Amino acid sequence: MTAMMLKPHYRTVWISDVHLGTRGCQADLLLDFLNEVTADTYYLVGDIIDGWRLKKSWYWPESHHAVITTIMDKAKNGAKVIFVPGNHDEFAREFVDMTFGHIDVKMNDIHETADGKKLLIIHGDEFDGVVKYAKWLAYLGDTAYNLAIALNRYYNGIRRKLGYGYWSLSAYLKNRVKNAVQFVCNFETAVAHEAAKRKVDGVVCGHIHHAEKRMIGDVLYCNDGDWVESCTALVEDKNGKLELLYWAEMRQMAMTHSQPGRDAASSPSLGLGKLMSLFRITGESTGAASQSSKKGNGTPIGKTA
């Protein structure tokens, strides 16, 4: 088998804020990612299942069930899987320090990268004052957020019919609301401060649905994003280098490159790992990312440490 046919393999993969059980969850894209990428260790950094939404109304399509079974199969077949519950799946916090289906449940964890850096792994809701001190307001905000996600779903349905790829209306609006931007900045600073207190080199979290990787003082702050708006994951290669993968954009770029004119969002599991391996081998991904595959806010597809 040639190198271009191999699926990308990482030392570690972090995903969070999947929100299974909601209509906004991009389960098909996540399944595509899980089928095309392999890893030694997977971190599930909270809000994998949306218990808040499921309490209100039951929604559990086959694709959501398939995400759970795919992750469990990876654990059963030798991958290390660590689940750090978030506020939306806080029911799982009752089982911290236990193992279910080869999956370890932890309140937080310390991960050491291949190059010796220590990273604090937390969901991050404990640094959200609304969640911590005014849970009723968090529930109200969750209702408004789900309305925005519903509008986003209809909007992307129209985009697909017109031959365009996925784009997050809710993320676009959030990034342009002054108070939301200030909240993100305050959250990132608070999380980085906690990592510094614990004397680690960096932190990986989720919760705010805002993928990011940057230095805050002497701390490497990483947020792996979500699978509702940005469809992102944080990965570590065999040398310890960290990178954010924007899977929806990578999927669109790969399908446009391989089959011009085809709707890249029309069907999951299209061998994107192989296509992205081809990009990396030929060097075409660098040019494509810099010229035509920018995110709406100017952020490139991948950010490396």
Side-chain angles (χ1 to χ4, degrees):
M1 181 178 290
T2 62
M4 74 176 63
M5 296 301 290
L6 295 175
K7 292 183 178 182
H9 181 80
Y10 294 99
R11 186 171 184 266
T12 315
V13 166
W14 290 266
I15 61 172
S16 74
D17 298 274
V18 179
H19 291 276
L20 295 170
T22 69
R23 296 182 185 276
C25 170
Q26 301 293 322
D28 285 340
L29 279 170
L30 178 54
L31 277 172
D32 187 59
F33 173 78
L34 292 173
N35 287 329
E36 296 303 330
V37 168
T38 62
D40 299 326
T41 301
Y42 293 85
Y43 275 99
L44 312 177
V45 195
D47 288 2
I48 304 303
I49 298 174
D50 197 321
W52 291 11
R53 182 55 47 181
L54 288 173
K55 283 181 180 179
K56 295 179 179 179
S57 61
W58 186 260
Y59 177 75
W60 197 259
E62 178 59 32
S63 59
H64 292 211
H65 178 71
V67 168
I68 296 297
T69 56
T70 298
I71 292 172
M72 293 185 70
D73 284 345
K74 288 180 179 292
K76 183 179 179 181
N77 291 325
K80 185 176 182 181
V81 180
I82 299 169
F83 175 34
V84 177
N87 52 303
H88 282 260
D89 46 22
E90 60 189 350
F91 58 85
R93 289 175 173 171
E94 297 182 15
F95 307 106
V96 163
D97 297 327
M98 300 177 70
T99 300
F100 294 94
H102 305 281
I103 296 175
D104 297 326
V105 183
K106 297 185 179 183
M107 194 65 189
N108 55 65
D109 197 31
I110 300 295
H111 172 77
E112 186 168 342
T113 63
D115 57 355
K117 292 185 177 66
K118 291 185 177 180
L119 305 176
L120 172 65
I121 314 299
I122 54 175
H123 178 64
D125 58 290
E126 60 264 52
F127 301 98
D128 181 344
V130 173
V131 171
K132 188 173 182 180
Y133 298 112
K135 198 165 186 177
W136 66 270
L137 187 58
Y139 278 107
L140 180 62
D142 180 62
T143 300
Y145 177 73
N146 277 282
L147 175 60
I149 292 300
L151 293 174
N152 186 72
R153 188 168 64 253
Y154 288 117
Y155 174 77
N156 274 285
I158 296 172
R159 283 179 62 88
R160 282 195 296 272
K161 291 179 180 179
L162 295 175
Y164 295 105
Y166 177 79
W167 183 75
S168 177
L169 174 63
S170 53
Y172 174 83
L173 294 173
K174 186 168 67 177
N175 287 337
R176 280 154 181 77
V177 176
K178 182 178 180 180
N179 289 340
V181 172
Q182 186 59 51
F183 168 78
V184 168
C185 292
N186 292 343
F187 174 87
E188 293 174 345
T189 301
V191 170
H193 179 68
E194 178 65 19
K197 282 174 55 180
R198 299 202 190 190
K199 301 185 184 303
V200 294
D201 301 293
V203 59
V204 179
C205 62
H207 186 57
I208 59 172
H209 295 208
H210 184 76
E212 185 66 273
K213 185 177 71 66
R214 65 188 178 94
M215 296 299 297
I216 299 179
D218 295 327
V219 173
L220 176 62
Y221 169 86
C222 299
N223 191 305
D224 58 25
D226 68 282
W227 289 87
V228 177
E229 299 176 40
S230 58
C231 300
T232 52
L234 180 72
V235 296
E236 175 198 1
D237 71 11
K238 63 180 181 180
N239 299 313
K241 183 174 68 174
L242 301 178
E243 180 182 9
L244 277 170
L245 301 182
Y246 290 83
W247 196 250
E249 284 85 349
M250 293 172 72
R251 189 176 199 268
Q252 178 70 24
M253 182 176 70
M255 290 308 303
T256 301
H257 179 273
S258 64
Q259 299 182 37
R262 179 170 178 172
D263 177 7
S266 61
S267 58
S269 300
L270 296 170
L272 297 195
K274 297 172 185 177
L275 288 168
M276 294 312 298
S277 294
L278 176 60
F279 283 144
R280 293 181 186 279
I281 292 167
T282 62
E284 292 178 5
S285 59
T286 303
S290 62
Q291 296 298 322
S292 61
S293 298
K294 299 277 186 178
K295 288 175 64 65
N297 60 3
T299 304
I301 285 177
K303 300 179 185 177
T304 55

